Amino acid sequence: MGGYSFKVFRYDPDKGPRHRYDTFELEVERGMTVLDCLQRIKATLDGTLTFRRSCRSAICGSCAMNINGKNDLACHLQVAGLTGRRVTVDPLPGYPVIKDLVVDMEEFYRSIEKVMPWLVRTSPFPDRELPQSPEERDRIDLAVNCILCGSCTSSCPSFWFNPDYLAPGALLKAFRFVFDSRDEAGAERLALVDGPRGVWRCRTIFNCEEACPKLLRPNEAIAALKREILKRSV
């Protein structure tokens, strides 16, 4: 494939408040992902470059970052699929940067926790598993596949300017349990998302759906939560 230039965001809090960009020239072979390239840069050109990675299978979500202006998973995105031979890599926008491409996800996880991301039962549990029909499972199927990479929330302007907003990631998680046929805390969970910091803050910009590397539909989930709130209020 030949030579590529990687313009990479750099920030080290021990060296002051200013960030910079470093450019690395790299020979890229067909089949290499952006993560492969970052790992080669770290191994051969600059060992101080800092970024998260783990599964390398687009499952854990830890290598989410902004690549050529779009949030994506570095382990999933093939360099061959990018336009041009200059690749700009930034940390996920909207989150505080800890170092280089590593961001602080604490606020994202706190938002998820606020919508009670676990199955709630008030009825006695049956002796065997809780049954669920294929149709009931289909309704939440996409939301179950969320890998918590934070790309959707990071792309949301409402979140950038309202850090208290639950944002697409947490609202998608709320949808996953509100519409789970086995859960019995739908009313309580809907009350948590019904307000200016919840579903009504969404401006239907659709950035979240464009940013999701798993092709999930947080905006559709937020709309479903709004409809459910209105339906139960009459």
Side-chain angles (χ1 to χ4, degrees), residues 24-47:
F24 302 95
E25 305 296 332
L26 201 67
E27 286 294 315
V28 177
E29 299 137 27
R30 185 163 296 281
M32 287 181 74
T33 65
V34 173
L35 181 61
D36 291 332
C37 295
L38 291 175
Q39 296 202 131
R40 182 169 291 181
I41 291 169
K42 185 176 179 67
T44 63
L45 299 175
D46 187 343

PDB file of all heavy atoms in Angstrom, residues 24-47:
ATOM      1  N   PHE A  24       3.892  11.151  11.997  1.00  0.00           N
ATOM      2  CA  PHE A  24       4.744   9.971  11.840  1.00  0.00           C
ATOM      3  C   PHE A  24       4.561   9.416  10.427  1.00  0.00           C
ATOM      4  O   PHE A  24       3.431   9.249   9.959  1.00  0.00           O
ATOM      5  CB  PHE A  24       4.369   8.882  12.855  1.00  0.00           C
ATOM      6  CG  PHE A  24       4.446   9.326  14.286  1.00  0.00           C
ATOM      7  CD1 PHE A  24       3.310   9.790  14.950  1.00  0.00           C
ATOM      8  CD2 PHE A  24       5.648   9.293  14.969  1.00  0.00           C
ATOM      9  CE1 PHE A  24       3.379  10.203  16.272  1.00  0.00           C
ATOM     10  CE2 PHE A  24       5.727   9.705  16.297  1.00  0.00           C
ATOM     11  CZ  PHE A  24       4.589  10.157  16.944  1.00  0.00           C
ATOM     12  N   GLU A  25       5.668   9.142   9.758  1.00  0.00           N
ATOM     13  CA  GLU A  25       5.623   8.529   8.429  1.00  0.00           C
ATOM     14  C   GLU A  25       5.770   7.016   8.596  1.00  0.00           C
ATOM     15  O   GLU A  25       6.656   6.546   9.306  1.00  0.00           O
ATOM     16  CB  GLU A  25       6.751   9.074   7.542  1.00  0.00           C
ATOM     17  CG  GLU A  25       6.768  10.590   7.433  1.00  0.00           C
ATOM     18  CD  GLU A  25       5.521  11.143   6.755  1.00  0.00           C
ATOM     19  OE1 GLU A  25       4.933  10.415   5.928  1.00  0.00           O
ATOM     20  OE2 GLU A  25       5.144  12.299   7.059  1.00  0.00           O
ATOM     21  N   LEU A  26       4.873   6.282   7.947  1.00  0.00           N
ATOM     22  CA  LEU A  26       4.846   4.828   8.168  1.00  0.00           C
ATOM     23  C   LEU A  26       4.532   4.100   6.867  1.00  0.00           C
ATOM     24  O   LEU A  26       3.681   4.530   6.086  1.00  0.00           O
ATOM     25  CB  LEU A  26       3.745   4.518   9.202  1.00  0.00           C
ATOM     26  CG  LEU A  26       3.841   3.190   9.955  1.00  0.00           C
ATOM     27  CD1 LEU A  26       5.064   3.187  10.864  1.00  0.00           C
ATOM     28  CD2 LEU A  26       2.571   2.972  10.779  1.00  0.00           C
ATOM     29  N   GLU A  27       5.231   3.002   6.645  1.00  0.00           N
ATOM     30  CA  GLU A  27       4.893   2.119   5.531  1.00  0.00           C
ATOM     31  C   GLU A  27       3.762   1.206   5.988  1.00  0.00           C
ATOM     32  O   GLU A  27       3.876   0.492   6.996  1.00  0.00           O
ATOM     33  CB  GLU A  27       6.104   1.282   5.109  1.00  0.00           C
ATOM     34  CG  GLU A  27       7.160   2.050   4.346  1.00  0.00           C
ATOM     35  CD  GLU A  27       6.644   2.532   2.988  1.00  0.00           C
ATOM     36  OE1 GLU A  27       5.997   1.724   2.278  1.00  0.00           O
ATOM     37  OE2 GLU A  27       6.879   3.707   2.652  1.00  0.00           O
ATOM     38  N   VAL A  28       2.669   1.246   5.266  1.00  0.00           N
ATOM     39  CA  VAL A  28       1.475   0.486   5.661  1.00  0.00           C
ATOM     40  C   VAL A  28       1.231  -0.637   4.664  1.00  0.00           C
ATOM     41  O   VAL A  28       1.262  -0.421   3.452  1.00  0.00           O
ATOM     42  CB  VAL A  28       0.244   1.421   5.722  1.00  0.00           C
ATOM     43  CG1 VAL A  28      -1.019   0.619   6.071  1.00  0.00           C
ATOM     44  CG2 VAL A  28       0.466   2.523   6.759  1.00  0.00           C
ATOM     45  N   GLU A  29       0.987  -1.822   5.216  1.00  0.00           N
ATOM     46  CA  GLU A  29       0.694  -2.967   4.353  1.00  0.00           C
ATOM     47  C   GLU A  29      -0.805  -3.212   4.315  1.00  0.00           C
ATOM     48  O   GLU A  29      -1.531  -2.867   5.245  1.00  0.00           O
ATOM     49  CB  GLU A  29       1.409  -4.215   4.905  1.00  0.00           C
ATOM     50  CG  GLU A  29       2.927  -4.068   4.935  1.00  0.00           C
ATOM     51  CD  GLU A  29       3.534  -4.602   6.225  1.00  0.00           C
ATOM     52  OE1 GLU A  29       2.933  -5.504   6.833  1.00  0.00           O
ATOM     53  OE2 GLU A  29       4.596  -4.084   6.616  1.00  0.00           O
ATOM     54  N   ARG A  30      -1.256  -3.819   3.231  1.00  0.00           N
ATOM     55  CA  ARG A  30      -2.677  -4.115   3.093  1.00  0.00           C
ATOM     56  C   ARG A  30      -3.147  -4.998   4.268  1.00  0.00           C
ATOM     57  O   ARG A  30      -2.450  -5.930   4.661  1.00  0.00           O
ATOM     58  CB  ARG A  30      -2.956  -4.813   1.757  1.00  0.00           C
ATOM     59  CG  ARG A  30      -4.440  -5.048   1.489  1.00  0.00           C
ATOM     60  CD  ARG A  30      -4.693  -5.349   0.024  1.00  0.00           C
ATOM     61  NE  ARG A  30      -4.352  -4.225  -0.838  1.00  0.00           N
ATOM     62  CZ  ARG A  30      -5.125  -3.159  -1.012  1.00  0.00           C
ATOM     63  NH1 ARG A  30      -6.289  -3.086  -0.393  1.00  0.00           N
ATOM     64  NH2 ARG A  30      -4.734  -2.182  -1.809  1.00  0.00           N
ATOM     65  N   GLY A  31      -4.288  -4.677   4.800  1.00  0.00           N
ATOM     66  CA  GLY A  31      -4.825  -5.448   5.919  1.00  0.00           C
ATOM     67  C   GLY A  31      -4.566  -4.801   7.272  1.00  0.00           C
ATOM     68  O   GLY A  31      -5.137  -5.223   8.270  1.00  0.00           O
ATOM     69  N   MET A  32      -3.703  -3.782   7.294  1.00  0.00           N
ATOM     70  CA  MET A  32      -3.403  -3.145   8.586  1.00  0.00           C
ATOM     71  C   MET A  32      -4.545  -2.220   9.000  1.00  0.00           C
ATOM     72  O   MET A  32      -5.103  -1.479   8.198  1.00  0.00           O
ATOM     73  CB  MET A  32      -2.096  -2.346   8.505  1.00  0.00           C
ATOM     74  CG  MET A  32      -0.859  -3.213   8.455  1.00  0.00           C
ATOM     75  SD  MET A  32       0.679  -2.248   8.391  1.00  0.00           S
ATOM     76  CE  MET A  32       0.780  -1.638  10.072  1.00  0.00           C
ATOM     77  N   THR A  33      -4.868  -2.269  10.267  1.00  0.00           N
ATOM     78  CA  THR A  33      -5.857  -1.353  10.828  1.00  0.00           C
ATOM     79  C   THR A  33      -5.140  -0.128  11.389  1.00  0.00           C
ATOM     80  O   THR A  33      -3.900  -0.107  11.506  1.00  0.00           O
ATOM     81  CB  THR A  33      -6.652  -2.034  11.952  1.00  0.00           C
ATOM     82  OG1 THR A  33      -5.736  -2.321  13.031  1.00  0.00           O
ATOM     83  CG2 THR A  33      -7.315  -3.324  11.480  1.00  0.00           C
ATOM     84  N   VAL A  34      -5.940   0.869  11.779  1.00  0.00           N
ATOM     85  CA  VAL A  34      -5.340   2.056  12.398  1.00  0.00           C
ATOM     86  C   VAL A  34      -4.634   1.656  13.694  1.00  0.00           C
ATOM     87  O   VAL A  34      -3.558   2.171  14.009  1.00  0.00           O
ATOM     88  CB  VAL A  34      -6.423   3.123  12.656  1.00  0.00           C
ATOM     89  CG1 VAL A  34      -5.862   4.294  13.453  1.00  0.00           C
ATOM     90  CG2 VAL A  34      -7.010   3.619  11.331  1.00  0.00           C
ATOM     91  N   LEU A  35      -5.205   0.713  14.433  1.00  0.00           N
ATOM     92  CA  LEU A  35      -4.551   0.265  15.672  1.00  0.00           C
ATOM     93  C   LEU A  35      -3.214  -0.404  15.368  1.00  0.00           C
ATOM     94  O   LEU A  35      -2.224  -0.188  16.089  1.00  0.00           O
ATOM     95  CB  LEU A  35      -5.468  -0.693  16.439  1.00  0.00           C
ATOM     96  CG  LEU A  35      -4.891  -1.209  17.760  1.00  0.00           C
ATOM     97  CD1 LEU A  35      -4.608  -0.068  18.724  1.00  0.00           C
ATOM     98  CD2 LEU A  35      -5.822  -2.224  18.418  1.00  0.00           C
ATOM     99  N   ASP A  36      -3.164  -1.223  14.314  1.00  0.00           N
ATOM    100  CA  ASP A  36      -1.883  -1.834  13.922  1.00  0.00           C
ATOM    101  C   ASP A  36      -0.826  -0.751  13.696  1.00  0.00           C
ATOM    102  O   ASP A  36       0.336  -0.889  14.101  1.00  0.00           O
ATOM    103  CB  ASP A  36      -2.057  -2.649  12.639  1.00  0.00           C
ATOM    104  CG  ASP A  36      -2.898  -3.902  12.839  1.00  0.00           C
ATOM    105  OD1 ASP A  36      -2.906  -4.437  13.961  1.00  0.00           O
ATOM    106  OD2 ASP A  36      -3.557  -4.320  11.860  1.00  0.00           O
ATOM    107  N   CYS A  37      -1.244   0.325  13.025  1.00  0.00           N
ATOM    108  CA  CYS A  37      -0.298   1.406  12.723  1.00  0.00           C
ATOM    109  C   CYS A  37       0.145   2.120  14.001  1.00  0.00           C
ATOM    110  O   CYS A  37       1.326   2.431  14.168  1.00  0.00           O
ATOM    111  CB  CYS A  37      -0.940   2.386  11.752  1.00  0.00           C
ATOM    112  SG  CYS A  37      -1.301   1.652  10.123  1.00  0.00           S
ATOM    113  N   LEU A  38      -0.798   2.396  14.902  1.00  0.00           N
ATOM    114  CA  LEU A  38      -0.426   3.060  16.158  1.00  0.00           C
ATOM    115  C   LEU A  38       0.538   2.175  16.958  1.00  0.00           C
ATOM    116  O   LEU A  38       1.493   2.668  17.578  1.00  0.00           O
ATOM    117  CB  LEU A  38      -1.674   3.357  16.982  1.00  0.00           C
ATOM    118  CG  LEU A  38      -2.617   4.437  16.415  1.00  0.00           C
ATOM    119  CD1 LEU A  38      -3.885   4.543  17.270  1.00  0.00           C
ATOM    120  CD2 LEU A  38      -1.923   5.794  16.334  1.00  0.00           C
ATOM    121  N   GLN A  39       0.292   0.881  16.942  1.00  0.00           N
ATOM    122  CA  GLN A  39       1.184  -0.029  17.681  1.00  0.00           C
ATOM    123  C   GLN A  39       2.581  -0.065  17.031  1.00  0.00           C
ATOM    124  O   GLN A  39       3.587  -0.143  17.737  1.00  0.00           O
ATOM    125  CB  GLN A  39       0.563  -1.425  17.752  1.00  0.00           C
ATOM    126  CG  GLN A  39      -0.731  -1.423  18.549  1.00  0.00           C
ATOM    127  CD  GLN A  39      -1.113  -2.791  19.100  1.00  0.00           C
ATOM    128  OE1 GLN A  39      -1.425  -2.916  20.271  1.00  0.00           O
ATOM    129  NE2 GLN A  39      -1.116  -3.784  18.248  1.00  0.00           N
ATOM    130  N   ARG A  40       2.619   0.033  15.692  1.00  0.00           N
ATOM    131  CA  ARG A  40       3.933   0.051  15.042  1.00  0.00           C
ATOM    132  C   ARG A  40       4.666   1.354  15.351  1.00  0.00           C
ATOM    133  O   ARG A  40       5.887   1.367  15.552  1.00  0.00           O
ATOM    134  CB  ARG A  40       3.781  -0.147  13.530  1.00  0.00           C
ATOM    135  CG  ARG A  40       5.101  -0.194  12.798  1.00  0.00           C
ATOM    136  CD  ARG A  40       4.972  -0.657  11.374  1.00  0.00           C
ATOM    137  NE  ARG A  40       4.619  -2.079  11.307  1.00  0.00           N
ATOM    138  CZ  ARG A  40       4.466  -2.735  10.159  1.00  0.00           C
ATOM    139  NH1 ARG A  40       4.636  -2.118   9.003  1.00  0.00           N
ATOM    140  NH2 ARG A  40       4.160  -4.019  10.161  1.00  0.00           N
ATOM    141  N   ILE A  41       3.904   2.463  15.363  1.00  0.00           N
ATOM    142  CA  ILE A  41       4.522   3.751  15.726  1.00  0.00           C
ATOM    143  C   ILE A  41       5.088   3.672  17.136  1.00  0.00           C
ATOM    144  O   ILE A  41       6.214   4.097  17.400  1.00  0.00           O
ATOM    145  CB  ILE A  41       3.469   4.887  15.621  1.00  0.00           C
ATOM    146  CG1 ILE A  41       3.104   5.139  14.155  1.00  0.00           C
ATOM    147  CG2 ILE A  41       3.978   6.162  16.283  1.00  0.00           C
ATOM    148  CD1 ILE A  41       1.899   6.044  13.960  1.00  0.00           C
ATOM    149  N   LYS A  42       4.304   3.116  18.049  1.00  0.00           N
ATOM    150  CA  LYS A  42       4.751   3.013  19.441  1.00  0.00           C
ATOM    151  C   LYS A  42       5.978   2.096  19.571  1.00  0.00           C
ATOM    152  O   LYS A  42       6.900   2.373  20.339  1.00  0.00           O
ATOM    153  CB  LYS A  42       3.609   2.489  20.330  1.00  0.00           C
ATOM    154  CG  LYS A  42       3.937   2.465  21.818  1.00  0.00           C
ATOM    155  CD  LYS A  42       2.716   2.036  22.619  1.00  0.00           C
ATOM    156  CE  LYS A  42       3.040   1.991  24.113  1.00  0.00           C
ATOM    157  NZ  LYS A  42       3.312   3.326  24.675  1.00  0.00           N
ATOM    158  N   ALA A  43       5.988   1.028  18.772  1.00  0.00           N
ATOM    159  CA  ALA A  43       7.080   0.048  18.883  1.00  0.00           C
ATOM    160  C   ALA A  43       8.362   0.529  18.217  1.00  0.00           C
ATOM    161  O   ALA A  43       9.469   0.176  18.650  1.00  0.00           O
ATOM    162  CB  ALA A  43       6.635  -1.279  18.276  1.00  0.00           C
ATOM    163  N   THR A  44       8.234   1.332  17.145  1.00  0.00           N
ATOM    164  CA  THR A  44       9.432   1.647  16.350  1.00  0.00           C
ATOM    165  C   THR A  44       9.811   3.129  16.310  1.00  0.00           C
ATOM    166  O   THR A  44      10.954   3.461  16.000  1.00  0.00           O
ATOM    167  CB  THR A  44       9.241   1.160  14.896  1.00  0.00           C
ATOM    168  OG1 THR A  44       8.146   1.871  14.293  1.00  0.00           O
ATOM    169  CG2 THR A  44       8.965  -0.328  14.859  1.00  0.00           C
ATOM    170  N   LEU A  45       8.832   4.018  16.573  1.00  0.00           N
ATOM    171  CA  LEU A  45       9.118   5.446  16.394  1.00  0.00           C
ATOM    172  C   LEU A  45       9.024   6.267  17.678  1.00  0.00           C
ATOM    173  O   LEU A  45       9.810   7.183  17.884  1.00  0.00           O
ATOM    174  CB  LEU A  45       8.161   6.034  15.336  1.00  0.00           C
ATOM    175  CG  LEU A  45       8.265   5.408  13.931  1.00  0.00           C
ATOM    176  CD1 LEU A  45       7.191   5.988  13.020  1.00  0.00           C
ATOM    177  CD2 LEU A  45       9.659   5.639  13.343  1.00  0.00           C
ATOM    178  N   ASP A  46       8.033   5.975  18.521  1.00  0.00           N
ATOM    179  CA  ASP A  46       7.862   6.772  19.736  1.00  0.00           C
ATOM    180  C   ASP A  46       7.158   5.923  20.809  1.00  0.00           C
ATOM    181  O   ASP A  46       5.939   5.772  20.782  1.00  0.00           O
ATOM    182  CB  ASP A  46       7.028   8.029  19.437  1.00  0.00           C
ATOM    183  CG  ASP A  46       6.955   8.971  20.631  1.00  0.00           C
ATOM    184  OD1 ASP A  46       7.262   8.539  21.756  1.00  0.00           O
ATOM    185  OD2 ASP A  46       6.580  10.137  20.437  1.00  0.00           O
ATOM    186  N   GLY A  47       7.941   5.412  21.691  1.00  0.00           N
ATOM    187  CA  GLY A  47       7.408   4.530  22.741  1.00  0.00           C
ATOM    188  C   GLY A  47       6.551   5.237  23.766  1.00  0.00           C
ATOM    189  O   GLY A  47       5.871   4.580  24.576  1.00  0.00           O
TER     190      GLY A  47
END
